Amino acid sequence: MSGGGCEADGVRLLPWTGPEGKPCYVVGDGTGYVSRMADGIESVQLGMADDLLGHAGDLLADRKVTGAELHFLASRLTESLRDVKRVAESRGSRLGAAGYGPGVDSR
């Protein structure tokens, strides 16, 4: 399963992966314990991404930054982007299942 289309069946892509980086899903109506835990983790991930962007701006403005610091920053930004992409895919699928999304006339 990719991030698209499975939400209509009550299947949600979770903001974490399983063994070997495989996607994890939960089946339900979105009100259960695992769904609430996923909501909380998504919120933390998005907040951390925002904090990291602020740190990146500060670090890139510093002319004395080292290659090792930039490498570390790029690694953390990559991890954060992966998390944010997963959140976007999960939320996008849920919007599509609710009748909001590409190809849906919202008038």
Side-chain angles (χ1 to χ4, degrees):
M1 288 181 190
S2 67
C6 61
E7 294 296 334
D9 300 328
V11 179
R12 175 184 178 175
L13 176 65
L14 295 171
W16 57 80
T17 59
E20 301 174 12
K22 294 184 179 186
C24 292
Y25 300 90
V26 64
V27 177
D29 63 4
T31 63
Y33 175 77
V34 174
S35 292
R36 290 190 312 271
M37 184 186 320
D39 290 341
I41 290 173
E42 285 181 355
S43 180
V44 168
Q45 289 172 328
L46 293 173
M48 289 174 63
D50 190 46
D51 292 345
L52 185 57
L53 282 173
H55 178 67
D58 293 343
L59 191 65
L60 293 172
D62 181 358
R63 296 288 184 192
K64 297 178 185 175
V65 67
T66 67
E69 290 171 320
L70 288 174
H71 182 268
F72 184 79
L73 175 64
S75 296
R76 301 299 73 80
L77 286 169
T78 300
E79 291 168 359
S80 184
L81 184 57
R82 189 174 294 119
D83 290 342
V84 170
K85 180 180 179 283
R86 178 177 294 279
V87 170
E89 288 173 349
S90 179
R91 291 184 179 185
S93 292
R94 284 180 276 157
L95 282 175
Y100 304 101
V104 175
D105 186 357
S106 60
R107 287 182 273 164

